[in-house]
Structures are given as C-alpha cells and as structure tokens.
Amino acid sequence: MNTLEEYTDVLVVGAGHAGCEAALACARLGLETAIFTVSVDSIALMPCNPNIGGSSKGHLVREIDALGGQMGINIDKTFIQSKMLNKSKGPAVHSLRAQADKVNYSMEMRKTLQNTEHLTIRQAEVAEIITVPANSAAVEKKDGQMVEINGELQKITGVKTVSGGVYHCKAVVLCTGTYLRARCLTGEMITYTGPNGLMAANHLTDALKAHGIEMQRFKTGTPARVDRRSIDFSKMQEQFGDERVVPFSFTTDPESVQIDQASCWLTYTNENT
C-alpha cells in the first residue's frame, strides 16, 4: 500500500493562536513549513470567549505584534468592540481588549496562512512523533537539538498522521491547545468531543507518553450561547467601547479602526441562578 511521504523544514501541529503564529514566523524566515489542523474551518477559531487581549494578555499580543506576529493585525480587521481596561489605574496596567467577530477572525487568519509563501496547510490528525536514536546514521547533528526520551538521546525526524502519511522535518512545534483527548462538560454531562463540536485528537497523547512526556489536562470555560431575542436587556448594564479606539498592531492606521461598535452587556448571578 502506497502512503504519502513528504519532506519539509518545520511542522506545526495545531492551528490555534499559537500554531498560526509559530507557522507564520517559520515561513516568514524562509523555512518550508506545514501546519496541521483537524479542520481548516477551525483555524484561529475562538470557541470560548471570542476576544483578543484583556488583562496581561493584551500586553502579550502587542509584544507578538512587535516581533512581526499576526494577531494584532488580524483583530484590528475583525473586532466589533475595543476597550482599554484599567484606565483608572497607572499606564503600566492599562490593557487593551477587543471583542472579535469570531467567524471573520478565523477567515482572515486562514486567508493570511494561505497567502504566505513557504507555508502549507494540511488537514490531518497527527498521531505519532517520529524519532531515531541520536547515534543513528540518519541523524545529522547540524539539523537541530537532540532530546532525551526514556533515558536515551533521540532526534525528532518527523510526524505520522492517522491515515499513515509520513512528514519528515527538522523540527516539530506542538500547539495542540485543548484538543488532545478533549471532552466538553455541560453541567454534569460529559461529551467526548473537541471544542465547538469539532473532532478531538485522540491518538497523539499515547505517542507523547511513549516518549516519556507527562500529560496534564487543561480546562477552559465557555460562556453560554443564547438567543438575544430571549434576553431582557433592561435588567442589564450596557458597556460601550472606547470613543477613540487604539489599534492592537503598531502597523495599523489608527483612523482605520474608528468604526461603529457593538455594545457589551453586564449582568450578575444570584442565589437562584
């Protein structure tokens, strides 16, 4: 049986925020790069709270932008409300937060990846990290760092997908997010699925454990999706965006982000809810 076999410089597993930035950084350095995702429709998808920035995180996004990253540029194109938080305090803790049109944010980031030279999108689930002993004739020391796996020095040489495809490379970047053996909790109900109803990545965990890598479960929280027609806004406090919007990216023309913004609404729980 014939199987797919390809050669590239860098393989990025996962196409969330971290994966997109890693893939773009490598490709923009001229390295032949492939990014793997379980679905191209999930590239830069925000299934939880669809915003960029906020306390602490806003600083990080702007640092990424200063290093040539894409998040700041992308949210400046797709935000629906922008607000500088903590303005009553000193400038060191001012933090920009933008609520995103999450469909447009994902589409714009996918468009950027597709139009970047040296970068290829692969829709496939990575199941295995391929390694060889460091003293193997197949290893060239100049190609990268060695890793110690179960007490033996090993060199990562590629990945294998669930369908059997083999991708050889010089480096692998894992940005798997919450997809590894993902499960969603709704109250006391557990559904074994990836975020937003997408397929979970159920094979890579065992491969990583076999290489001596310890795994821990990371929990995120997703706000409820509700029909706005069912909401009594009179019982809620309207929160507006800033009158003068500050862009996330240093390369964005400030005038281009002065748009009509959507409102956010603040409510509280009580003993009954």
Side-chain angles (χ1 to χ4, degrees), residues 208-228:
L208 294 175
K209 285 183 175 180
H211 288 317
I213 298 174
E214 295 183 4
M215 307 297 294
Q216 294 184 335
R217 187 167 291 280
F218 179 71
K219 178 185 177 298
T220 63
T222 301
R225 277 23 174 184
V226 294
D227 187 339
R228 68 175 292 130

Side-chain angles (χ1 to χ4, degrees), residues 85-161:
L85 306 180
N86 303 325
K87 285 196 295 186
S88 63
K89 301 177 182 178
V93 294
H94 290 183
S95 191
L96 190 60
R97 182 196 65 200
Q99 302 292 338
D101 181 326
K102 70 177 187 178
V103 174
N104 282 343
Y105 185 94
S106 177
M107 290 175 59
E108 282 293 327
M109 188 64 81
R110 177 177 171 180
K111 189 187 304 181
T112 298
L113 298 183
Q114 289 173 327
N115 293 327
T116 298
E117 293 184 4
H118 308 294
L119 180 55
T120 303
I121 300 171
R122 290 280 181 251
Q123 181 169 291
E125 181 184 344
V126 172
E128 184 180 342
I129 303 296
I130 302 171
T131 65
V132 296
N135 58 3
S136 168
V139 173
E140 294 184 34
K141 299 293 189 295
K142 65 181 180 180
D143 280 351
Q145 297 293 318
M146 302 298 165
V147 293
E148 188 173 307
I149 299 174
N150 293 328
E152 182 181 10
L153 206 58
Q154 298 270 321
K155 172 72 170 74
I156 295 173
T157 60
V159 303
K160 187 175 183 178
T161 65

Side-chain angles (χ1 to χ4, degrees), residues 18-33:
C20 290
E21 295 292 1
L24 288 168
C26 292
R28 287 167 175 171
L29 288 171
L31 298 169
E32 295 302 324
T33 305

Side-chain angles (χ1 to χ4, degrees), residues 242-257:
D242 289 339
E243 288 189 16
R244 179 71 182 177
V245 174
V246 177
F248 255 110
S249 176
F250 298 104
T251 63
T252 298
D253 177 4
E255 296 305 319
S256 70
V257 294

